[in-house]
Amino acid sequence: MKTSSFLTLATVSVIFLVLLSCDVDAKKKDKNLKVTVADDVSPPAPAKKTKKAAAAKEAPAPPAKSVPSKHKDDDNSIDDVDEDRIDEILRDASKNLVIFLYDGKVPCPTCTEALSEVEEIDDDIEATGYVQVVKTNDRSVARELGINVFPSLVYYRRNNPILYDGDFKDSENLLRWLRAHEEVATWDLTDDTFESRTDSHSPDEGSIDWFVMFYDADEGNSNAFVPLWETVAHKLRGLVNVGKIEISVNDDVTERFHIEERECPVFLLFHRGKMYRYKESAKDVRSLTNFALHKYKEQRGHRVPEPPTAIEQVYEFAKEKIMDVMDDNQTLSVLGVGGLIVIVAVTLIIKAYRIRAENKNKVA
C-alpha cells in the first residue's frame, strides 16, 4: 500500500515537471517572438549628431531679403544700381529710363511682389531699344524724387521724370501706363515764353486754363515735385494745360507774380484773366487735379498782373546783360561804378550851376 502510494506521487511529480518545462519553453518562444516583432517595427536609431549639424540647428534662419529677384542668376534680371549709375544713364539723351525703387532697410513683401510684376514686362520694355529698366534701394535717389513710400516707380523721358500713381498688381496695366506716358505732358515756361504761351492776362474766349508750378531746381524739396507734377499733367491732359517755371532763372515772371523762394513750390491756376493759388497742405496728385478742375471755384480769384511792356522788357534785358558783364569782369565793374559816380556828379554840378544862374537873374 505504501509502495503504491509512493509510485503514484512520483508519477504526478514527473508529470508536473514535464508540464512546467513545457510552459517555460512556451514563454521563451513567446518572448523571442515578441522581441523579433519589436525589432521589425522599431524606428531606426537616430544618426549621431555632428558639431556642424548641431550648430546649423541652433543658428537662427537668415532674414528674408527685401527684393529677391526671381531671375537672380539670369542675365535678363533687372540691374540693381546706385545714384551714380543712374546719373550716368540719364546723361545719355538717347535713352529713357524706368527706375523701380524698393526699401532695402526692412523686409518688404509688397516690394517683392511688385518687382515680380515689373520683371514680367522687363523684356517687353527694353525691346524698344531706347528704354532701360533698373532697380535701386538708394535712399538719396528716393529723396531727390520726393519718394517716401515703397515700392515706387519713376519713368524718365528725355530727362523728364513722371511718378507712377497706380498699383503693381497687374503687369499688363503697368506696361500700358508706360507706353501711354512716353510723351512729356508738362510745358517748360520761361520769361520769354510765359505770356505768349499761357495768355494769362487776357485769354481768348473759350481758351483752356493753365495750371503752373513755380519751383526752385536748386532746392531739393521743391525740385522733388517735378515727377509728381508730370503725373498731374497727364491726368489733366486735354482739360487743363500744365506748365512749370524755374524761378532762379526767370526773374521777370517771378517778380510779376510775387513768388517767394521760401514758399516754393507755388501752384497758380489761370482762368479767364484771373489767378487762383493752391493753398491746401496736401500736395498729392488727386488734390492738385481736383483743384484745377473745380476746387479753385471755392476761392476768390485775383486779376492777373499785366505783363511787362516792350520798353520794360528791353530795359530788363539791358540791365541783365550789364550785370552779367560786371559779374564776369571785376575791373569793368569798378569802372562801371566809377562812371556812374562821375555821371551823377556832373549832373549835380550842372543842376547846381543852373539853379545859381536862375537865382542871379531873379536878383537882377
Side-chain angles (χ1 to χ4, degrees):
M1 184 69 181
K2 291 182 178 178
T3 304
S4 177
S5 299
F6 177 78
L7 291 173
T8 301
L9 180 63
T11 302
V12 171
S13 299
V14 170
I15 292 171
F16 177 77
L17 290 173
V18 170
L19 291 175
L20 181 63
S21 175
C22 290
D23 184 61
V24 170
D25 290 339
K27 286 183 178 180
K28 286 183 178 180
K29 289 181 180 179
D30 184 60
K31 185 177 180 181
N32 290 335
L33 178 63
K34 287 181 179 179
V35 170
T36 303
V37 173
D39 289 342
D40 288 341
V41 299
S42 61
K48 186 178 181 180
K49 292 185 180 180
T50 63
K51 291 183 179 180
K52 290 184 178 180
K57 185 175 180 181
E58 295 175 1
K65 294 182 179 179
S66 297
V67 184
S69 172
K70 67 177 182 179
H71 304 300
K72 183 177 179 182
D73 298 322
D74 192 343
D75 292 338
N76 295 324
S77 63
I78 299 176
D79 291 337
D80 208 327
V81 300
D82 58 12
E83 184 180 22
D84 293 336
R85 177 57 181 153
I86 290 175
D87 291 340
E88 181 182 341
I89 298 172
L90 290 176
R91 282 195 289 270
D92 183 357
S94 65
K95 284 279 189 180
N96 288 349
L97 180 63
V98 175
I99 307 174
F100 177 82
L101 299 104
Y102 65 94
D103 194 342
K105 291 189 175 181
V106 297
C108 179
T110 54
C111 294
T112 304
E113 296 169 3
L115 178 63
S116 177
E117 296 298 324
V118 176
E119 287 179 331
E120 288 288 340
I121 57 174
D122 177 25
D123 292 339
D124 293 329
I125 298 172
E126 296 195 338
T128 59
Y130 62 88
V131 182
Q132 184 172 346
V133 184
V134 299
K135 64 185 177 185
T136 185
N137 62 356
D138 193 327
R139 288 300 180 102
S140 59
V141 176
R143 283 194 299 271
E144 186 176 348
L145 294 169
I147 292 173
N148 51 24
V149 176
F150 302 97
S152 290
L153 186 136
V154 173
Y155 184 21
Y156 272 90
R157 296 85 19 91
R158 298 175 296 283
N159 283 334
N160 288 273
I162 179 172
L163 180 65
Y164 177 60
D165 64 330
D167 57 48
F168 293 88
K169 296 180 180 179
D170 188 341
S171 59
E172 291 301 319
N173 286 339
L174 181 57
L175 182 60
R176 282 193 290 270
W177 180 88
L178 289 167
R179 288 173 173 169
H181 291 74
E182 288 187 351
E183 185 179 345
V184 179
T186 306
W187 292 88
D188 285 314
L189 304 172
T190 65
D191 283 341
D192 297 330
T193 64
F194 184 89
E195 192 59 32
S196 61
R197 182 78 67 186
T198 65
D199 202 15
S200 63
H201 182 258
S202 55
D204 296 332
E205 187 69 25
S207 61
I208 297 180
D209 296 343
W210 277 83
F211 200 15
V212 179
M213 177 177 76
F214 296 78
Y215 73 105
D216 184 0
D218 297 328
E219 207 279 313
N221 292 333
S222 177
N223 193 49
F225 279 92
V226 173
L228 179 144
W229 193 239
E230 177 68 14
T231 307
V232 172
H234 274 272
K235 294 287 186 182
L236 296 174
R237 198 169 186 176
L239 302 172
V240 178
N241 291 324
V242 177
K244 65 179 186 290
I245 185 163
E246 217 277 90
I247 65 169
S248 65
V249 293
N250 294 284
D251 297 336
D252 294 346
V253 176
T254 302
E255 292 176 4
R256 177 185 173 190
F257 293 103
H258 307 290
I259 304 298
E260 297 290 339
E261 181 179 336
R262 56 183 174 80
E263 297 176 335
C264 286
V266 173
F267 306 94
L268 294 181
L269 178 77
F270 298 96
H271 170 74
R272 297 182 181 179
K274 290 188 177 182
M275 61 182 186
Y276 303 81
R277 184 163 180 163
Y278 182 83
K279 299 178 180 179
E280 297 181 26
S281 57
K283 295 181 176 64
D284 53 68
V285 174
R286 177 177 294 182
S287 300
L288 290 163
T289 303
N290 289 339
F291 177 81
L293 292 175
H294 55 82
K295 290 277 287 183
Y296 73 90
K297 298 176 183 177
E298 298 177 3
Q299 62 176 257
R300 185 172 65 88
H302 299 275
R303 291 294 303 174
V304 176
E306 291 187 10
T309 63
I311 295 176
E312 290 173 335
Q313 290 178 345
V314 171
Y315 169 76
E316 289 295 332
F317 177 78
K319 183 178 74 173
E320 289 177 3
K321 291 298 181 183
I322 293 173
M323 293 301 296
D324 289 341
V325 171
M326 293 176 69
D327 289 339
D328 294 339
N329 194 318
Q330 185 175 2
T331 303
L332 186 58
S333 180
V334 172
L335 292 175
V337 173
L340 288 174
I341 294 174
V342 171
I343 291 172
V344 172
V346 170
T347 302
L348 291 175
I349 292 172
I350 292 174
K351 190 172 182 179
Y353 176 80
R354 287 179 178 175
I355 293 173
R356 185 177 179 182
E358 290 175 0
N359 289 335
K360 285 184 178 179
N361 292 333
K362 288 180 181 180
V363 173

